[in-house]
Amino acid sequence: RVHNVSLSPLGTYLLTWEKPTEGSGDQLKVYTLSTLATNATITPTATFPLKLFKKALYPPLKWNADESLAYHMVTNEVRLYDGQNIGGRFTSKLRIPGIAHYTTGGINGLGTFSPGGANQPSKINLYTVAGGKLPERAVVGKSVFAAEEAVIHYSPRGDSALLLTTTSMDTSGDSYYGSTSLSLLHTSPASKDPSISVPLQKEGVVHDAQWCPSATAAPNFCVISGKMPSLPVLHHGVTGAPLFLFGESHRNTIAWSPTGRFVCLAGFGNLSGGMSFWDRNKEKQIPIYTTTPSSEDSSGTVVSSYGATTRAAACQYGYSPSSRYFMIGTCAPRMNVENGIQLLKYNGQSLSLYSQDLTPDHLREVLWVPKSSKSYPDRSATPPPRGVKVVEAVVTNSSLFQAAAKANPSLVHSKIAAGAPRQAYVPPSQRAKGNGTGGSLAERMRKETANSVQAGKVKTGSRITVGGKKLPVGMVEETKSKNVIKREKQKAAKARAAEEAEKEKLKLEEEEKAKRVTNATDPVKRRKKVEKLLKQITELKTKDALNEDQAKKVGMEESLREELKQLSV
């Protein structure tokens, strides 16, 4: 009856959800993994009611990083439990009306999201738990009107968080999938700016944003944004500034290894399943070394190739706790055919020997059993064998690589040996126009494959133009935060208002000057005007109460009569 499972951060507890049936009791159950292996009878450590299941909100019970605290979300409330005594009564609770979901971070971080209603903004709050009690006030709070959904990603240290808000409608009309906004929040009191708008190097929808999971390394996070081909970028974890461009490609998913050394950029879901594996420390893509026979000596040749891994039906994925293997699961009910598990090396090379046996029918969930990052050393990528010649085959359909694959296909990965698909013939008359007419689907796909933005470090103060133009390697577009843009607009509006007021003042002065000139040249008109004003003053004197303008006009009577005498002379 179990439909979904999850594990605690250190792999101590197993959390399961069962479809509710008559007389089955609570649906959410917690098991201690150590007792499952020794006891013949399986008895849950704790149970909780959960009739309505939502995949996006699962699991409703979460532990902090060291499993000392556990949180359970119920209607309009978050409850705090002793992480080692989950079956006991909760020790503290925090009431949050309308809470939709929450996230834990580090040892004492807690983030909550409450969607807004009619004319009410959505609220995102970050709390710091101290003394085993939930605080009443948030350390950082943010109200956003344009936020129907929000995802909070805590940093491994728990002192910062990425906030990704989404709306189903895009008022600009640039995206069918709605609009997104990415912010960097800091909970440390020493932070100068608790909320920073992350500058995107390619404007558009944010497909994914993930922190580097290493708490000992410098804080960094990776963001994939923009229209396809999207642009993955590595950002600084404190300032949000861009550090490294991975180059444009069809990617929408980020998967970090637990050590933070390797990162997989993939195009899952509605994309073709392409995967590229990078070494963050070296800032280079990890090659796949394949040994092929050589006619020059008996040691053979090692072919170094890139970008040959593709898994289109990926439902679940992730690195092993040792960071040396990558798992891809094809699960039901999303994919009801070809269910199974595929294992790859950290660089994307297939382990077909193991993948053939991991094909259970109707596979629903597959997870790595977590372990502490201290259990495994931070190993670098394996170098090629010594004493052999290394040939780099970036283009997998090169003559050298294809010849080596033909000589001994059993030693070459099948996906790599297949090579890139052959391109359509282009007439010589069209080659000078950019290898094609420019408007066909094949031509557009070729232009996307030839990345307009290449991988490279970001140069401070430089500028790029993303979206179709050839750009220097490593250059970055200068971007401004939304607050800076807002202040500049307000400043410009004030300047325009002051300029218009000055123009109006000059216009009135010119009109007054013109009147004085007219009066000096035509005394008859001025006399009629003065007589009219004196008549109005006589009528005003008959009134009991006068306003400020009327009293001012009455006070001008003597000067007007003196002017009338001069005009009569």
Side-chain angles (χ1 to χ4, degrees), residues 221-429:
F221 60 89
C222 186
V223 178
I224 299 179
S225 64
K227 293 181 179 179
M228 293 297 163
S230 58
L231 180 62
V233 181
L234 185 69
H235 291 258
H236 194 281
V238 178
T239 63
L243 301 176
F244 182 81
L245 307 177
F246 291 94
E248 285 187 326
S249 56
H250 288 74
R251 302 289 184 264
N252 60 3
T253 303
I254 304 168
W256 286 92
S257 66
T259 59
R261 176 181 290 272
F262 306 129
V263 58
C264 173
L265 304 176
F268 295 149
N270 57 351
L271 298 181
S272 60
M275 303 167 65
S276 53
F277 296 82
W278 290 77
D279 189 325
R280 189 202 66 159
N281 294 1
K282 297 181 179 180
E283 295 179 340
K284 293 182 179 180
Q285 192 170 353
I286 310 172
I288 297 177
Y289 295 113
T290 308
T291 304
T292 61
S294 174
S295 58
E296 298 179 5
D297 50 55
S298 58
S299 59
T301 300
V302 172
V303 179
S304 172
S305 58
Y306 299 88
T309 306
T310 302
R311 297 293 186 272
C315 299
Q316 292 182 317
Y317 51 86
Y319 275 94
S320 65
S322 64
S323 299
R324 306 304 294 181
Y325 301 100
F326 192 85
M327 173 271 298
I328 296 175
T330 304
C331 307
R334 181 177 174 182
M335 295 290 292
N336 291 316
V337 295
E338 298 183 357
N339 285 176
I341 304 169
Q342 296 175 331
L343 292 180
L344 311 175
K345 288 186 178 180
Y346 61 91
N347 59 354
Q349 188 170 2
S350 177
L351 294 174
S352 57
L353 177 64
Y354 299 98
S355 300
Q356 292 175 355
D357 300 328
L358 302 176
T359 55
D361 185 31
H362 209 67
L363 177 66
R364 299 194 65 91
E365 200 90 16
V366 52
L367 299 170
W368 289 105
V369 177
K371 269 198 173 184
S372 174
S373 58
K374 300 179 182 179
S375 304
Y376 300 95
D378 183 11
R379 294 173 54 192
S380 61
T382 303
R386 294 183 180 180
V388 297
K389 182 170 59 178
V390 177
V391 178
E392 186 171 299
V394 178
V395 182
T396 56
N397 61 349
S398 64
S399 57
L400 173 64
F401 188 81
Q402 293 298 329
K406 185 176 181 181
N408 196 342
S410 62
L411 297 178
V412 183
H413 186 263
S414 59
K415 293 290 183 181
I416 302 176
R422 295 182 179 180
Q423 298 181 355
Y425 172 75
V426 179
S429 60

